[in-house]
Amino acid sequence: MENVPNKIKEIIKESYPYIKQLNPAQKAVVDSKYLENNSNYIIAIPTASGKTILGVMAALQSILKGGKAIYTAPLISIQNEKVTEFKSFEKHGIKIGKHPSSCDLAVMVFESFDALTRFSWDNLKEVDTIIIDEFHMIGDFSRGPTLECAITRAKIINPSIKIIALSATLNNMGEIEGWLDSKVIENDYRPVPLNKEVLNTEMFNTQNKNDVVVKIVEKSIEDNSQTLSFVSTRRFTEALAEYVSKKIAKKLSLDEKKRFKKVASNILDVSKNMGSKPTSTCLRLATCCENGTAFHHAGIFSQQKEIIEDEFRKGNLLMIAATPSLMYGVNLPSKDVVIRDYTRWTSQGVQPIPVFDYEQMSGRAGRPLYDDVGYSYLVAKSLDESYKLQEKYVEGDIENTTSKLIENKDAILRQIIAQIASSLSKNSREIQEFFNETFYGYQITNDENMKEFAEESLKYEIDNSLDFLVANGIIQPTPNGLKVTTFGNLIAKSNYTVETAVKLKEFGNNVEDLDFNKLIYEISASPDLPLISFKGRKSKDPVREKMSLSGLFSINITNQEATAVSLIEWIDERNEYEIENAYHVYSASTRRTAYEASLLVKFFKNILETNRKYGYSQQLDFLSTRLYYGIKEDLIPLLLSIKYLGRKKARALIKAFGEDLRPFSKKDFEKIEGIGSKLSKRIKEYAESLDN
């Protein structure tokens, strides 16, 4: 670390004691003088090559000079991981947090960073350096436009800000370098060498790709290593984990079985601690874990995901079968990575995964400090298919990274609202000037085939969007230029799509008597609500019947209907076990969906109030609370007043003592399962407060 300033070196050595010296990729970056230079930089080195440390050094450089830094990441899971990782810096007087107004180093997700550029200019102007982790996600359909527009605004508001973009190597790096006005440092060194292979079922005398995965896991058992397998759907993760579990059961030692059984027990405890019997999904997961395999997807409890991730890191699981979303999640490397499925379902039907995604999944192979080599296996059905996959994925180039700003219609609308709400743009021309500064604007104006029509094409998109926003009462023309309405400002300060806001406004305009079930169904149609999915091809008639009983009607029964019915049952105090058994859905995601639904109900209430409709405000507050806690209306006072009570114990109290708790003692309350001395004291204090 000879070219690293002494104080930074001291902090890095203390916080990352396993780093004895910089690896060749890190050394090449440090030797480029990126710490001393005020230029923007794109640091492109392979996965697991130590990009985070390079970003941290740049942040520390600014902070030690009296400035502030932001570290941005695409996912909350990564944000939380980095906050925990960086907490050790506080020993050196560097405060870590999630917003630059209250700390020296703020770890933010892309959406929070975007909000900072819209509404917190004073805070943004105090920031000297921005570290952008997973910068290659600028080409992602959903998060990419948010990131590129936030960067564009940050450069306008704080021209002296230094941007350090941490990225996988991109095919059109020169184009991105030009837009960001940066220097690029690329290095292909990888601490753990990666071998990429394409296997096929014919090599193993089978027609089943799962048998190929079994062989890889069996080899990893012999090598005392682990396997991460990527498949395309939730259902396939479960089927693969179960298949491998049964095949390797007889190969496990007594010690392994003992360790795995403990993991399985912890998995089952999650649902029990939530006041629910283990669902069939929980039981299936626990059974897999008993033999050292697990599945990982959005349909299991978040606490179960954490257990799986932690136990895998500790070596207490042999294989995780996961959906591709895990390639961007928390740090979870393994020696072997198997990509069983190279297609996925999209709005255009089944499509091959991009080469870039193949690279990202493969990059999970090989654990620094643990492995001396990593293996990535792509599985084909036949020898002929394996040749094609070898050419496309192993030997082929990754796709060019392109802006998805104009493809994502909601992104265009939101960014126009953001520009007007933040007073950065007052008319169509100024909005177009902003879009010209984005990555999209840079690409079309520098493309020989597009630049002739670029200005006209962009103007057409902006004018159409402005017409839509004016027609829906989101912005309005004034003598001083375009302004956001109260409704528009509400959208600007939220993270909700314009589609959601407009639909809820229309629903509110047509409300005569508020029907909670109809509102829940409307919210379930929102692109902002994570859906509760059907588990498979079992009958959907129970959902249809429940909808009919709830006064709802739909020709097609989809995940939207499953979500609405699950939420209706949730506020009727049904638990995950009951919901899953009744409707064949992944009910473990009910709590998260209900939480998001509770926030959408508050958003709907705010929309009504912007139109001076206050008559439903209290009812909507009640519904939001019921969704949050999963309770009937009579439990609201108890849950809001008594900390850590929970709906199961609250209902038990009412059943045992009635609604008037004043005549009863703390000892009486402690007869209820799960209520101890501290909680009984709080209940008694609540009961006594009713006399005042």
Side-chain angles (χ1 to χ4, degrees):
M1 291 194 189
E2 60 269 15
N3 290 327
V4 178
N6 289 334
K7 184 59 180 177
I8 296 177
K9 192 186 302 182
E10 177 190 338
I11 295 171
I12 295 296
K13 283 188 173 182
E14 186 176 314
S15 300
Y16 303 92
Y18 55 85
I19 298 178
K20 305 303 179 185
Q21 59 184 14
L22 298 178
N23 65 44
Q26 292 169 327
K27 190 174 186 303
V29 175
V30 171
D31 289 348
S32 74
K33 307 293 185 184
Y34 86 113
L35 291 177
E36 293 85 358
N37 197 314
N38 288 327
S39 299
N40 298 328
Y41 278 84
I42 301 173
I43 298 172
I45 59 179
T47 303
S49 296
K51 289 193 284 284
T52 296
I53 299 302
L54 297 168
V56 163
M57 286 182 183
L60 293 175
Q61 178 85 329
S62 293
I63 293 166
L64 293 173
K65 289 181 177 179
K68 292 192 174 193
I70 293 173
Y71 190 106
T72 70
L75 302 173
I76 291 174
S77 58
I78 300 176
Q79 178 190 35
N80 293 335
E81 188 180 76
K82 295 304 179 187
V83 167
T84 302
E85 179 182 328
F86 299 159
K87 276 291 180 182
S88 59
F89 302 162
E90 294 193 337
K91 297 176 186 175
H92 299 271
I94 297 169
K95 192 169 182 182
I96 308 300
K98 294 185 177 181
H99 196 281
S101 62
S102 58
C103 62
D104 303 307
L105 175 55
V107 186
M108 310 181 81
V109 292
F110 293 163
E111 289 77 12
S112 298
F113 172 46
D114 180 51
L116 184 77
T117 67
R118 289 184 277 132
F119 299 111
S120 302
W121 292 3
D122 289 343
N123 293 136
L124 183 61
K125 288 173 181 176
E126 292 177 355
V127 175
D128 300 278
T129 302
I130 298 174
I131 316 301
I132 304 171
D133 201 358
E134 307 285 358
F135 175 74
H136 40 262
M137 288 195 76
I138 200 160
D140 179 70
F141 179 82
S142 58
R143 289 186 169 91
T146 300
L147 178 59
E148 71 169 282
C149 290
I151 291 171
T152 304
R153 260 192 301 277
K155 290 167 65 180
I156 293 169
I157 296 163
N158 186 353
S160 64
I161 205 162
K162 180 176 180 177
I163 297 171
I164 305 289
L166 309 178
S167 176
T169 299
L170 301 174
N171 205 34
N172 52 330
M173 193 65 83
E175 189 175 35
I176 300 167
E177 175 186 12
W179 170 64
L180 203 56
D181 188 21
S182 63
K183 298 183 178 181
V184 175
I185 308 171
E186 293 184 85
N187 194 289
D188 61 4
Y189 172 79
R190 200 177 190 274
V192 181
L194 176 61
N195 289 337
K196 300 176 186 174
E197 296 183 40
V198 179
L199 306 178
N200 66 81
T201 56
E202 293 176 16
M203 297 167 62
F204 298 89
N205 297 315
T206 182
Q207 294 181 338
N208 188 345
K209 291 168 79 171
N210 287 350
D211 287 327
V212 179
V213 180
V214 170
K215 293 296 182 185
I216 295 167
V217 174
E218 287 176 343
K219 184 179 182 301
S220 75
I221 292 173
E222 293 173 7
D223 295 342
N224 195 29
S225 61
Q226 297 162 286
T227 304
L228 186 59
S229 300
F230 288 104
V231 293
S232 58
T233 68
R234 296 180 189 181
R235 197 156 50 88
F236 288 167
T237 67
E238 296 180 18
L240 177 60
E242 194 169 56
Y243 189 88
V244 175
S245 170
K246 290 175 180 177
K247 291 287 186 179
I248 66 172
K250 293 181 180 178
K251 297 181 180 292
L252 304 177
S253 67
L254 290 176
D255 177 65
E256 285 174 323
K257 287 190 174 184
K258 185 178 178 181
R259 286 189 290 123
F260 298 156
K261 196 169 186 65
K262 187 175 179 182
V263 176
S265 177
N266 291 339
I267 289 292
L268 292 177
D269 284 343
V270 169
S271 54
K272 293 174 186 174
N273 294 338
M274 298 248 181
S276 172
K277 291 181 185 178
T279 65
S280 60
T281 305
C282 293
L283 292 170
R284 193 178 191 186
L285 177 58
T287 301
C288 290
C289 288
E290 286 185 354
N291 290 326
T293 71
F295 50 85
H296 186 292
H297 59 58
I300 63 176
F301 289 104
S302 57
Q303 295 91 330
Q304 289 173 335
K305 289 184 197 173
E306 291 169 8
I307 290 169
I308 291 166
E309 292 161 7
D310 290 342
E311 297 296 345
F312 190 76
R313 290 191 193 98
K314 294 174 185 175
N316 292 330
L317 285 171
L318 299 172
M319 185 198 79
I320 295 176
T323 50
S325 58
L326 195 62
M327 68 179 170
Y328 285 125
V330 292
N331 187 28
L332 202 68
S334 63
K335 184 174 183 178
D336 300 317
V337 165
V338 184
I339 303 166
R340 196 201 70 173
D341 300 341
Y342 54 88
T343 59
R344 70 178 58 146
W345 180 260
T346 71
S347 56
Q348 286 79 44
V350 177
Q351 298 288 330
I353 62 172
V355 179
F356 184 84
D357 284 6
Y358 164 77
E359 292 288 346
Q360 287 295 110
M361 288 185 268
S362 294
R364 291 285 187 173
R367 300 166 301 172
L369 307 180
Y370 295 97
D371 301 321
D372 53 11
V373 65
Y375 294 93
S376 164
Y377 302 104
L378 180 58
V379 184
K381 291 179 181 177
S382 66
L383 182 61
D384 286 344
E385 188 179 60
S386 68
Y387 290 141
K388 294 175 184 176
L389 296 181
Q390 176 81 19
E391 183 179 4
K392 177 178 175 64
Y393 290 108
V394 179
E395 298 168 2
D397 292 329
I398 61 173
E399 301 80 7
N400 280 354
T401 298
T402 59
S403 169
K404 302 300 188 295
L405 179 57
I406 296 299
E407 292 178 36
N408 187 332
K409 297 303 179 185
D410 185 72
I412 303 172
L413 296 172
R414 284 191 59 79
Q415 293 304 329
I416 290 174
I417 296 168
Q419 283 300 107
I420 297 169
S422 60
S423 304
L424 285 172
S425 301
K426 295 184 178 64
N427 52 51
S428 176
R429 178 182 55 78
E430 291 179 354
I431 292 169
Q432 183 156 350
E433 288 173 358
F434 168 77
F435 276 89
N436 282 334
E437 296 298 314
T438 64
F439 183 39
Y440 169 79
Y442 185 89
Q443 284 192 307
I444 62 170
T445 53
N446 286 274
D447 187 317
E448 289 296 327
N449 298 319
M450 294 180 67
K451 66 180 182 181
E452 185 177 342
F453 309 101
E455 187 171 343
E456 185 179 335
S457 173
L458 185 55
K459 185 177 186 304
Y460 174 80
E461 293 287 351
I462 291 170
D463 288 345
N464 273 355
S465 298
L466 287 172
D467 288 344
F468 174 85
L469 294 171
V470 171
N472 284 280
I474 297 169
I475 63 171
Q476 60 186 6
T478 75
N480 297 319
L482 295 170
K483 300 286 185 183
V484 292
T485 62
T486 307
F487 177 47
N489 200 45
L490 186 65
I491 298 172
K493 291 184 176 179
S494 79
N495 283 322
Y496 295 128
T497 62
V498 177
E499 177 187 338
T500 292
V502 169
K503 284 187 174 181
L504 287 178
K505 182 184 178 184
E506 289 174 355
F507 181 80
N509 288 340
N510 296 321
V511 165
E512 293 181 5
D513 293 311
L514 182 60
D515 184 321
F516 281 180
N517 292 339
K518 288 181 180 177
L519 176 57
I520 287 172
Y521 188 33
E522 186 70 22
I523 285 172
S524 297
S526 158
D528 292 287
L529 190 72
L531 295 178
I532 298 167
S533 304
F534 281 109
K535 290 179 63 177
R537 297 188 178 92
K538 289 186 179 180
S539 172
K540 298 179 179 179
D541 286 343
V543 169
R544 191 187 305 277
E545 290 166 10
K546 181 62 181 179
M547 287 191 65
S548 179
L549 291 171
S550 304
L552 305 173
F553 174 77
S554 176
I555 297 174
N556 297 316
I557 302 299
T558 66
N559 289 338
Q560 175 190 330
E561 285 71 33
T563 301
V565 164
S566 297
L567 293 177
I568 289 168
E569 292 283 36
W570 176 249
I571 61 174
D572 203 28
E573 297 181 24
R574 302 288 187 269
N575 60 37
E576 288 88 349
Y577 173 82
E578 293 166 327
I579 293 170
E580 180 176 289
N581 280 356
Y583 304 110
H584 317 304
V585 296
Y586 283 112
S587 61
S589 56
T590 303
R591 289 172 194 255
R592 181 196 168 205
T593 299
Y595 169 72
E596 295 296 342
S598 74
L599 298 180
L600 277 164
V601 168
K602 289 183 178 178
F603 185 58
F604 176 62
K605 173 193 166 187
N606 292 338
I607 290 172
L608 290 183
E609 291 180 350
T610 61
N611 288 334
R612 303 180 185 277
K613 290 186 176 182
Y614 301 98
Y616 299 113
S617 293
Q618 186 179 53
Q619 287 175 266
L620 291 169
D621 282 337
F622 286 167
L623 178 58
S624 179
T625 303
R626 290 180 64 192
L627 284 162
Y628 183 87
Y629 290 106
I631 55 174
K632 297 177 183 177
E633 194 167 313
D634 64 317
L635 290 189
I636 290 176
L638 281 174
L639 269 296
L640 289 180
S641 303
I642 304 171
K643 200 173 182 181
Y644 304 127
L645 179 59
R647 67 175 186 169
K648 187 177 179 181
K649 292 189 282 286
R651 180 55 65 196
L653 274 175
I654 297 297
K655 283 184 177 179
F657 307 111
E659 293 188 5
D660 188 357
L661 301 177
R662 289 175 295 178
F664 303 97
S665 68
K666 289 191 293 181
K667 291 295 183 185
D668 291 326
F669 300 142
E670 288 173 24
K671 293 175 184 177
I672 302 295
E673 183 182 355
I675 295 181
S677 58
K678 289 183 179 178
L679 186 51
S680 66
K681 182 182 177 183
R682 286 197 288 269
I683 295 169
K684 186 60 182 174
E685 288 172 351
Y686 162 74
E688 290 173 348
S689 72
L690 298 177
D691 288 324
N692 300 328

